[in-house]
Amino acid sequence: MNLHQFLSILRARRTMAFVIFLSTVALALAWVMLRPKNYTAHAPILVDLRANDPLAQPNYQSIVPQAYMATQMDIVRSSRVAEQVVEALGLEKDPKAAQEWKEAGGAGTLKAWLASELKANLEVKPARESNIINISYTAPSSADAAKIANAFSQAYLDTALDIKTDPAKKYSTWFEEQLKFARDRLEAAQGALTAYQQRTGVISADGVDMETQRLNELSSQLTLVQGQLTDVANKRAASAASISEAMNSPLINTLKADIARQEARVQEASANLGARHPQMIRMQDELNAMRARLRSETASIGSAVDTAYQVGRARERELKEAVNAQRARVMQFNRHRDELNVLRRDLDAAQRAYEQVSERASQSKLQALTNQTNIQRLATAVEPLKPTGPGTRLALALAAFAGALLAIAGAVLVELLNRRVRSVDDLSIATNLPILATVPAHAGRESLRRLANAPARPALGYNGSLA
């Protein structure tokens, strides 16, 4: 179908097309005049994704914007928020609402039915490329629209705060119980440590090191005494004159020198004097006295060595007993230290657990008492001045455009259902024959005038049958 055929169809079906166009415009005008007026109020809400919670844990994960915004919009549309709006506005007390609920079948509760009715006129959309949620509500009255939109906004803020604080309240109660248990455990660990210290007398593990040092000192003394005792025993086994004390004694050495000189004098005198000579007797007596004194001094040194040996043996026994006692004491202290360390570790673990639970309990209590969220109301919904929907001019313009389309579509559809020959192209298509000539279209009175003034032509005879 070319443009000429299309225009021929419209020209032929212009009456029907005009009727369709006028009918569409008339219906649109009637709808504009008779439609119920509804008003839509808007309450914008800001969701601040960058707001940091000062009470959050250090490993708190960042929020995914898309998922978080979708979650917040679902919360606004939830029945919990709608039921809070019903309670806040006192819609359950309206007898008209109760009557409508009964007429609707009375299914469920009145609050749930009113909440579903409110959600039917609620629209929640995010603002374009921002963190703002627009809460819109449509109602027959501008005052009702603004009031209900503000009620939804406030209910959403309250619900968001409850969602944030309710788990904290439950955690706070649970942490209080755990804190009491941790406190009892800490007190029990402290009591066990104190009782053990009182029973054993071990205050700290440092005493073990002191006792070990004392054991080392006693062992060193025993080793030294044993070395000295071995030396004294060797001296005791030897002759008294051959020991170092006797050989190094100045008195003994002096006596030995005197004896040697006296023996020399006796030897010299014996050559001239007889053995019975008084001088020889005197010199021999002096020599004997010197020898007796030497023996006495040597015996005294031997006795001193023997005494030193006996004292050394007694000292060795004492030190051995002291070392054994100290070793047992160290071993006992080691056992006490191990038990004391176990008790201290139990006390430290109980202290850390108590501190951690106390910190979490305080944090949960603060979170339960908070009244701030990352959601803020940007503006309060105001009563709209104009009803929702297109204005009269816009509605008529849209109706005129739609009527024109319907008129054209109707004319073309009717023509396709009842095809007519309206142009040369239609005739060529219908007969599939070439067009030799065309007759000008009828031009009204001008065509009749030209036909009347035309010269007469002889009629052509026809002898054939018409059948």
Side-chain angles (χ1 to χ4, degrees), residues 175-176 178-187 347-362:
F175 275 120
E176 286 294 333
Q178 297 302 315
L179 183 61
K180 181 179 178 181
F181 175 76
R183 186 186 298 109
D184 295 340
R185 181 184 174 187
L186 177 61
E187 292 177 355
L347 178 60
D348 294 338
Q351 182 68 33
R352 288 193 300 269
Y354 176 77
E355 292 175 355
Q356 292 176 357
V357 174
S358 178
E359 181 181 359
R360 293 297 302 276
S362 301

Side-chain angles (χ1 to χ4, degrees), residues 50 77 89 104 135 198 250 271 289 316 333 390 407 435 455:
R50 298 174 301 174
R77 301 188 192 100
L89 299 179
I135 300 176
Q198 292 177 352
E316 181 186 20
F333 264 91
I435 305 300

Side-chain angles (χ1 to χ4, degrees), residues 43-47 69 73 124-136 378:
I45 298 294
L46 172 63
V47 181
M69 293 295 292
M73 288 188 291
V124 182
K125 290 184 178 180
R128 188 174 183 180
E129 297 180 357
S130 67
N131 297 332
I132 297 177
I133 297 176
N134 288 320
I135 300 176
S136 303
L378 285 182

Side-chain angles (χ1 to χ4, degrees), residues 421-438:
V421 177
R422 302 189 184 279
S423 64
V424 177
D425 295 331
D426 293 340
L427 183 60
S428 177
I429 294 173
T431 60
N432 198 20
L433 294 174
I435 305 300
L436 300 178
T438 59

Side-chain angles (χ1 to χ4, degrees), residues 151-163:
F152 266 101
S153 175
Q154 185 61 43
Y156 167 59
L157 295 177
D158 295 340
T159 302
L161 182 60
D162 292 339
I163 291 175

